Amino acid sequence: MLTGRTALVCMAVMCLGLTPLAAPATAAPAPTTSDESPEGANDWSCVPSPAHPRPVVLVHGTWADMDTTWKTLSPALKAEGYCVFALNYGTRAPGTLQNLLDLVGGDTIERSARSLGEFVSRVRTATKAPQVDVVGHSQGALVARSYLKSGGGSDAVRPERNIVRTLVSLAGTNQGTSFNINQQLGAIAEMLGIPVVTLAAATVGPSYIEQMAGSPFLRELAAGGDTRPGVDYVAVGTKQDTMVTPPEHSFLKPVSGATVKNVWVQDGCENAEANHMEVTSSPRSVWITLGALDPGYARTHPAPCP
């Protein structure tokens, strides 16, 4: 028998057209959330090494908590000597009628960016590191970019004061997504008088709609350009992504003063397989991420090509 909460999740999935597109855990809201830290993360006594002076902050995506998302990447980073930190964000904001299912990553991206900023401040205080690197999956890339633009993560006038040095975006919804056909289905439903946007915000949270191509949030985030001066960006996409559609919407457009590298998981290895969720854990995407954080890693470790 379905629990009350699980039944609500299933109703929201059916009403909003949130059918599994890549894997069930990536497309439909999970009925439970783990507060467990992934292996290797959130050791608040960690002291950054000279080789890796910047802690790495891991930012999950929509409806997938930190433990689910970073089971592979977090211990891989720890094994390379990084101080690694991860958070859950975006649960229901007190006093609102949004995200009634209380899903991680469901809240507005702006509020989630504030949560990220508070977490980064805690990391810097604990580690005494002036800067951090951020790895964001899916919506996590937008949360990080919002933090960079308007949450204090970067300083456009004095880029040397930036809090974030490198942002690695893994299958980020950077240019918006149609969620396969869900955006079109939602538009048809709205034309028929079904308040899909309101229903989505109330049940699974407003971030789902905010990530759709052309949303007011994305237009505001893109105003002035995708990037911030003094930040290095590596945007990783996978050609097998059925959540970021089209998949090239994972990529970023550089603005003066920032560096951007857009890369497919399949570049140089057409047989590499990674759907939207697997981009956080496939051997090749882990190798790309480690190389983005430390270019020396790619020179001393051969690229896996399963």
Side-chain angles (χ1 to χ4, degrees), residues 34-242:
S34 171
D35 290 323
E36 292 293 324
S37 296
E39 179 185 348
N42 295 337
D43 174 5
W44 295 96
S45 64
C46 185
V47 178
S49 68
H52 301 303
R54 295 185 299 276
V56 179
V57 177
L58 305 176
V59 189
H60 64 74
T62 311
W63 310 330
D65 58 52
M66 60 178 169
D67 188 41
T68 301
T69 305
W70 306 117
K71 283 184 179 295
T72 300
L73 185 58
S74 179
L77 287 164
K78 188 68 173 181
E80 291 298 317
Y82 289 92
C83 290
V84 185
F85 297 88
L87 76 159
N88 282 338
Y89 70 86
T91 51
R92 182 185 177 191
T96 74
L97 295 178
Q98 296 181 330
N99 192 17
L100 295 178
L101 295 177
D102 200 24
L103 303 173
V104 290
D107 199 8
T108 68
I109 296 175
E110 181 183 5
R111 281 197 291 262
S112 293
R114 290 201 292 268
S115 296
L116 174 60
E118 293 167 0
F119 187 79
V120 168
S121 294
R122 184 183 172 197
V123 169
R124 293 173 66 218
T125 298
T127 61
K128 298 180 173 55
Q131 289 186 310
V132 302
D133 293 332
V134 176
V135 179
H137 174 240
S138 193
Q139 183 198 158
L142 295 183
V143 172
R145 288 177 55 209
S146 181
Y147 166 57
L148 281 166
K149 182 174 183 178
S150 56
S154 68
D155 187 329
V157 178
R158 300 282 299 276
E160 68 274 11
R161 295 182 177 179
N162 287 352
I163 293 174
V164 176
R165 184 68 184 87
T166 302
L167 171 58
V168 182
S169 166
L170 299 176
T173 48
N174 287 306
Q175 307 302 330
T177 176
S178 63
F179 289 112
N180 206 329
I181 64 170
N182 287 348
Q183 187 175 29
Q184 294 91 327
L185 291 175
I188 293 171
E190 287 279 352
M191 291 176 60
L192 294 174
I194 302 172
V196 173
V197 172
T198 301
L199 177 62
T203 54
V204 298
S207 67
Y208 178 70
I209 300 298
E210 288 179 330
Q211 292 176 81
M212 288 187 173
S215 74
F217 169 81
L218 285 175
R219 291 198 299 270
E220 181 178 349
L221 183 65
D226 290 351
T227 61
R228 306 290 290 174
V231 180
D232 294 329
Y233 296 81
V234 178
V236 182
T238 175
K239 296 178 181 180
Q240 297 158 353
D241 202 331
T242 56

